[in-house]
Each structure stands twice: as structure tokens, then as C-alpha cells.
Amino acid sequence: MRYESSKKILVIEDDAVTRNLFLEVLEAQGFDTIGAEDGVAGIQKAQEHLPDLVICDIQMPDMDGYTVLARLRQDPHTAIIPFIFLTGSNTQTDVRKGMESGADDYLTKPSSIEDFLRAIAVRLEKQAFLRYWYATNSHQTAQSPPSSFNSESIFPSVPQLQAVFDFIEANYRQGITLSDVALAVGYSPAYLTNRVAKQTGETVNAWIVKRRMAAARPLLRDTNQTIDQIAIALGYQNTCHFSRQFRQHHGLSPKTWRKQQQLLQSSKNAKLQLIKNHDALEKLVPLGC
């Protein structure tokens, strides 16, 4: 099976024999290939060529694969490039460390050619999904949704996380989870959670809930929809879950909060009417007479 020749893959491997073998296999499949003999060279070539995928050994002199990955994730130009670790260790601890560091996959050496190419195909397919999502949804998120769903802007301005917030904005009514967001933006759930929490002080799940709560308030305040209807419209499978999260954020149940808002609005309307009546009275009886 041959893949798109336009796809560019960077292999960072200090062992020349292993590196050349991987490069030959990839070239035979129609990929454009780039080789790097160590982590420093790998980072430089990744920033220069912006490959579609990086395959990197973990145990290398001077700079290990974990450091390479951390540096690439810190650079906004290379942060979303899919990354596969290669290592001779397959212990649960090492695998977990690799995935929590933000790797997209983890291959042990020796690995069969079939497993090697399958892992690459999976990562590139997920990257293609992300690009497809952007192509079909970016124009929608650029437009303002109905006012009842977009009366409040709650996402911080963090360019490195724009894809995360765009996906949440476009899909929060679909019952999305952390895993859905992670898949859409090309990160592991654990790494995405740490990245978002570090830069915003909140988790991905917290931002999903905040967006739903921001949409719930105008629906409760300005429409006659039932609590059940609003919960369903915001992606909740049951009203109890919605009501529990709403109470956690506002200290009141949706029903009580709605009544409170109605009382406040009635009070404002009464004051406004008094002002109008006072103005009308002044016109009939000018001051000083």
C-alpha cells in the first residue's frame, strides 16, 4: 500500500542503521523523508521543514526523545505535528510516560514493518480528520450563532489553544467529551488536559461545562423552553446532570435561578414604568408652577 507522496515524515534516530532502514521503508511507500541523527538536529529540521509526522527514538545521547517532544510542543509552529515514540522498552511505566508527555503513539523496537506503517497510517488519518474538521467548520465558527446561544463570550485569548476552543464552540451542544476534543486537535487526552490547565487554570471538561452554562443562562432567562428542553439542547443526556452542574456553577437550581431572574426583570420593568410615568407627569405639570 502506498501513501500520499506529499506527506513528509521526519525520523529522529541516533543509530544510523535503524534510521536508514526506516527512511528506506518510508521512501518505498512514497513518503518524502527527512532524517536526523540526534534530538538537536531533529528539532531544527522539524522547525525548518514542518513535517506531517515525527518518529523519534527516546534513548539518545545529549537530548532524549521526551525533551525533543517537549520542545516541539512549546513551539506553536510544531505543536500539533503528530509524534510517535520509538523505544526498546515496553514497560507500562514507560508507555504511560510517553503518552502523558503528549506522544500520539508508542512503538517498541524491534517492530514489524506492518505495525510501523499501520501506526503511521492511523496518525495521518487522524490528522486528516482534523484538517477536514477545520475546512468544514471554520466558516461556521467565524459566524455568530443565534443570540440565545452566544450572548456571552467565555474563552480566553490563547492562540496556542484556539483549535481547542473552536472545536468546543462548534460542538458543545453535541455532548462532546475530553476524548472528542483531544482527537479533534491531535493530542492525547492526558497531555491536552495538562496543557490547557497550565495555560488557563481550567481543564478541558471545565471549559465545556462553562460554555454550556453560558448558553443556558439566556435560554433560561429569555425563552419559555422547559428545563428538559434546555438540557437536551445543550448536549446533556438527562436533566439531572444539567441541573447538578448548573447548581455547582450558580448556587441555585435552573428553576430557582429562572424565577430569580424573572423577579429581577419585573422589578426593573416596574422601575422603568415609574420613570416613564414621572416624565409624563412633568410634561403635564411643569416644575415650578
Side-chain angles (χ1 to χ4, degrees), residues 146-208:
S147 59
S148 61
F149 281 97
N150 198 35
S151 60
E152 301 178 54
S153 177
I154 58 98
F155 296 122
S157 178
V158 183
Q160 298 90 336
L161 300 178
Q162 192 60 50
V164 174
F165 296 139
D166 282 350
F167 185 81
I168 293 174
E169 179 63 32
N171 297 280
Y172 70 90
R173 297 185 295 274
Q174 309 304 318
I176 57 172
T177 65
L178 164 64
S179 296
D180 296 320
V181 181
L183 173 63
V185 300
Y187 290 137
S188 69
Y191 175 77
L192 182 62
T193 295
N194 293 335
R195 181 182 178 91
V196 172
K198 183 177 180 180
Q199 294 190 260
T200 70
E202 299 281 1
T203 65
V204 174
N205 283 329
W207 284 115
I208 294 173

Side-chain angles (χ1 to χ4, degrees), residues 99-166:
M99 300 307 290
E100 290 180 351
S101 298
D104 296 281
D105 209 341
Y106 191 101
L107 286 174
T108 57
K109 296 184 294 185
S111 179
S112 69
I113 297 300
E114 291 76 13
D115 288 343
F116 178 69
L117 292 176
R118 188 179 302 112
I120 292 172
V122 169
R123 301 327 308 179
L124 291 178
E125 285 172 4
K126 289 190 175 182
Q127 191 73 351
F129 165 79
L130 175 60
R131 289 172 179 167
Y132 173 78
W133 181 85
Y134 271 121
T136 56
N137 291 278
S138 59
H139 69 284
Q140 296 177 10
T141 56
Q143 299 173 353
S144 295
S147 59
S148 61
F149 281 97
N150 198 35
S151 60
E152 301 178 54
S153 177
I154 58 98
F155 296 122
S157 178
V158 183
Q160 298 90 336
L161 300 178
Q162 192 60 50
V164 174
F165 296 139
D166 282 350

Side-chain angles (χ1 to χ4, degrees), residues 33-88:
T33 60
I34 308 164
E37 67 277 9
D38 56 41
V40 174
I43 292 173
Q44 293 174 342
K45 291 186 178 182
Q47 294 172 333
E48 178 183 354
H49 298 283
L50 298 178
D52 297 285
L53 178 72
V54 174
I55 301 170
C56 182
D57 190 18
I58 291 181
Q59 300 299 326
M60 296 184 293
D62 299 326
M63 182 183 294
D64 64 18
Y66 297 123
T67 304
V68 172
L69 176 57
R71 297 282 181 84
L72 294 181
R73 292 302 192 228
Q74 291 169 2
D75 184 339
H77 296 98
T78 58
I80 64 172
I81 297 176
F83 193 101
I84 297 177
F85 270 136
L86 282 168
T87 181

